[in-house]
């Protein structure tokens, strides 16, 4: 068992859950089976994150660019998401988890929106961990939307140019509501961010795992945290 230091936990962890498709292809199964197996990993990892005291967990579940995938894969993902929300309701409410969502949520199917919104409001007062699902999410899209809101406020005289600071921009970026991520994990072997948390990732520690998301275990999360704890975060400064 990997040993982690309870005094040096990442406060906010983001996960790019990649590799479902390849997991399924290796087993000669349809990609949707990979997504189904992936949702079992979500269950495991959410439970563990809550247990070890991670305050915020942001999961990249569906990117804005993923809408361009074949229609049957997209609809399978939407059904699985709905099933996940139904089946995890008790787990979320019973464990003090606050559910949130970021992304272009207006594009999500009505049925998904319905369960999602309901569970977000039911769990709104929970404070043990914030679980944010990034859905129809793109980091560039999120920044563009904040820029539009700022331009609008400036145009009507509600915001002066000199007040457009990093903090002001951050306050208009929904994924920043839980603060910048300390650690971003990507499974599936690719070493890129694929439009995840672009604003907040400025000083995030990155951990890339070759493990495909459906096979990512509790032990793998411990390994990622242990790696995080061995790093020296300098934020551009010189450490004495
Ligand atoms: C990640 O797995 C899940 C989503 C993007 C929704 P992929 O479906 O991207 O799996 P690979 O990368 O093709 O293996
Ligand atoms: C990132 O994975 C999106 C999610 C995990 C939801 P992708 O599979 O979409 O990213 P690329 O295409 O490898 O960059
Ligand atoms: Mg992928």
């Amino acid at each position: 068992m990997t040993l982690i230091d309870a005094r040096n936990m990442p406060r906010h962890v983001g996960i790019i859950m990649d590799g479902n498709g390849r997991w399924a292809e290796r087993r000669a199964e349809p990609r949707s089976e990979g997504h189904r197996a992936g949702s079992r990993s979500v269950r495991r990892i959410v439970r563990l994150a809550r247990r070890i005291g991670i305050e915020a967990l942001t999961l990249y579940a569906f990117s804005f660019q993923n809408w361009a995938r074949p229609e049957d894969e997209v609809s399978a993902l939407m059904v699985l998401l709905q099933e996940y929300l139904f089946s995890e309701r008790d787990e979320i409410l019973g464990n003090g988890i606050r559910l949130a969502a970021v992304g272009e949520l207006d594009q999500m199917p009505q049925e998904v929106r319905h369960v999602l919104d309901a569970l977000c409001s039911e769990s709104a007062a929970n404070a043990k961990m914030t679980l944010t699902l990034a859905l129809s999410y793109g980091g560039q899209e999120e920044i563009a939307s904040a820029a539009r809101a700022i331009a609008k406020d400036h145009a009507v005289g509600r915001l002066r140019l000199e007040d457009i600071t990093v903090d002001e921009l951050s306050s208009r970026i929904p994924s920043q509501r839980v603060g910048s991520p300390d650690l971003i994990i990507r499974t599936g072997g690719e070493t890129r961010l694929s439009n995840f948390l672009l604003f907040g990732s400025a000083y995030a520690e990155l951990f890339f795992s070759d493990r495909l998301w459906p096979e990512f275990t509790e032990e793998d999360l411990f390994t990622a945290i242990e790696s995080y704890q061995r790093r020296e975060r300098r934020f551009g400064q010189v450490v004495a």
Side-chain angles (χ1 to χ4, degrees), residues 92-108:
I92 287 172
L93 296 176
N95 286 295
I97 299 173
R98 183 168 76 89
L99 183 72
V102 293
E104 311 266 317
L105 302 176
D106 290 345
Q107 306 224 16
M108 298 297 286

Side-chain angles (χ1 to χ4, degrees), residues 62-74 77 107:
F62 190 78
S63 77
F64 187 70
Q65 286 66 30
N66 288 154
W67 288 116
R69 293 192 178 193
E71 213 179 292
D72 60 338
E73 181 172 348
V74 171
L77 275 161
Q107 306 224 16

Side-chain angles (χ1 to χ4, degrees), residues 213-229:
W213 176 247
E215 43 194 34
F216 193 78
T217 63
E218 285 93 343
E219 188 56 31
D220 294 319
L221 180 60
F222 280 123
T223 303
I225 294 174
E226 189 201 36
S227 164
Y228 168 86
Q229 294 185 332

Side-chain angles (χ1 to χ4, degrees), residues 16-18 60-63 66 69 186 192 194:
I16 303 169
M17 310 182 292
D18 195 27
Y60 202 7
F62 190 78
S63 77
N66 288 154
R69 293 192 178 193
R186 182 178 185 138
R192 55 178 171 255
S194 300

Side-chain angles (χ1 to χ4, degrees), residues 21-220:
R22 277 163 286 164
W23 182 88
E25 277 153 26
R26 280 183 200 170
R27 300 160 62 106
E29 287 177 16
R31 293 177 60 85
S32 58
E33 283 311 305
H35 296 311
R36 184 176 301 281
S39 78
R40 291 194 288 271
S41 278
V42 172
R43 214 158 277 153
R44 265 199 310 272
I45 295 307
V46 168
R47 191 164 296 169
L48 178 62
R50 163 70 183 82
R51 187 159 65 76
I52 63 180
I54 286 170
E55 282 175 42
L57 178 67
T58 301
L59 298 179
Y60 202 7
F62 190 78
S63 77
F64 187 70
Q65 286 66 30
N66 288 154
W67 288 116
R69 293 192 178 193
E71 213 179 292
D72 60 338
E73 181 172 348
V74 171
S75 49
L77 275 161
M78 294 302 142
V79 169
L80 277 168
L81 178 61
Q82 217 182 331
E83 284 175 8
Y84 172 81
L85 294 168
F86 274 126
S87 67
E88 293 312 283
R89 185 175 175 277
D90 291 349
E91 173 86 15
I92 287 172
L93 296 176
N95 286 295
I97 299 173
R98 183 168 76 89
L99 183 72
V102 293
E104 311 266 317
L105 302 176
D106 290 345
Q107 306 224 16
M108 298 297 286
Q110 205 52 53
E111 318 83 78
V112 178
R113 264 316 277 278
H114 190 71
V115 267
L116 182 66
D117 291 349
L119 198 47
C120 287
S121 42
E122 269 185 291
S123 65
N126 289 350
K128 294 285 187 208
M129 178 174 92
T130 300
L131 169 62
T132 305
L133 300 179
L135 295 168
S136 186
Y137 175 87
Q140 291 182 328
E141 285 72 11
E142 191 181 40
I143 293 169
S145 151
R148 278 194 298 276
I150 284 175
K152 209 165 140 195
D153 279 358
H154 177 63
V156 300
R158 262 203 306 257
L159 188 66
R160 296 177 308 172
L161 264 190
E162 56 270 35
D163 292 331
I164 305 174
T165 58
V166 169
D167 285 344
E168 178 61 36
L169 188 50
S170 175
S171 76
R172 292 168 187 258
I173 291 187
S175 64
Q176 288 289 99
R177 278 179 208 140
V178 289
S180 295
D182 299 296
L183 169 65
I184 293 178
I185 298 169
R186 182 178 185 138
T187 63
E190 309 290 358
T191 47
R192 55 178 171 255
L193 287 176
S194 300
N195 212 9
F196 186 51
L197 305 184
L198 293 188
F199 188 88
S201 61
Y203 278 99
E205 296 297 331
L206 307 179
F207 182 87
F208 297 101
S209 165
D210 285 333
R211 201 85 80 198
L212 302 173
W213 176 247
E215 43 194 34
F216 193 78
T217 63
E218 285 93 343
E219 188 56 31
D220 294 319

